[in-house]
Amino acid sequence: MRLTHSQQEAIRSSVNSVIGAESRIWLFGSRVDDHKQGGDIDLLIETDRVLPNRVASLCQLEGKLIMRLGDLKIDILIKDAQTPEAPVHRTAKTQGVPL
């Protein structure tokens, strides 16, 4: 995994404060591969709760992560209890790394 310990902690604490401490987080995509360079940070955030406004939660989380991590390209998927399971969710969980 190509995230520093402080980057991982920044992601966990930001997700906990915006989505909730019960959330599960996966890093997937090129950042999982230690042999690659660069690349964006692809995150899947899953919660068993129903978020009142997923788009607002996504915007708030992305803003918080940019403030904590700097101007990195971050792609975030949020799956709450009402989000249907999609192939990208399964791929992120099977090929990704839990944070």
Side-chain angles (χ1 to χ4, degrees), residues 56-87:
S57 297
L58 176 66
C59 291
Q60 185 179 4
L61 178 59
E62 186 169 357
K64 189 171 279 251
L65 288 172
I66 288 171
M67 294 295 290
R68 304 253 339 243
L69 299 174
D71 192 21
L72 298 174
K73 175 91 169 80
I74 303 170
D75 293 326
I76 304 169
L77 298 173
I78 296 179
K79 182 183 179 309
D80 72 358
Q82 291 187 329
T83 307
E85 180 89 357

Side-chain angles (χ1 to χ4, degrees), residues 8-25 43 45-47 49 51 57 60-61 64-65 68 78 99:
Q8 293 176 47
E9 186 52 39
I11 291 168
R12 279 189 215 101
S13 67
S14 297
V15 169
N16 288 349
S17 71
V18 174
I19 308 297
E22 80 291 346
S23 303
R24 297 169 298 280
I25 308 166
L43 299 171
I45 316 300
E46 186 176 60
T47 180
R49 294 184 322 125
L51 299 175
S57 297
Q60 185 179 4
L61 178 59
K64 189 171 279 251
L65 288 172
R68 304 253 339 243
I78 296 179
L99 292 183

Side-chain angles (χ1 to χ4, degrees), residues 1-54:
M1 167 189 336
R2 292 183 297 115
L3 288 179
T4 65
H5 179 74
S6 65
Q7 288 173 321
Q8 293 176 47
E9 186 52 39
I11 291 168
R12 279 189 215 101
S13 67
S14 297
V15 169
N16 288 349
S17 71
V18 174
I19 308 297
E22 80 291 346
S23 303
R24 297 169 298 280
I25 308 166
W26 286 268
L27 172 72
F28 65 101
S30 63
R31 289 281 181 148
V32 174
D33 188 339
D34 291 334
H35 302 290
K36 291 187 177 180
Q37 294 183 343
D40 51 359
I41 297 173
D42 298 309
L43 299 171
L44 169 64
I45 316 300
E46 186 176 60
T47 180
D48 295 329
R49 294 184 322 125
V50 175
L51 299 175
N53 187 333
R54 278 190 319 130

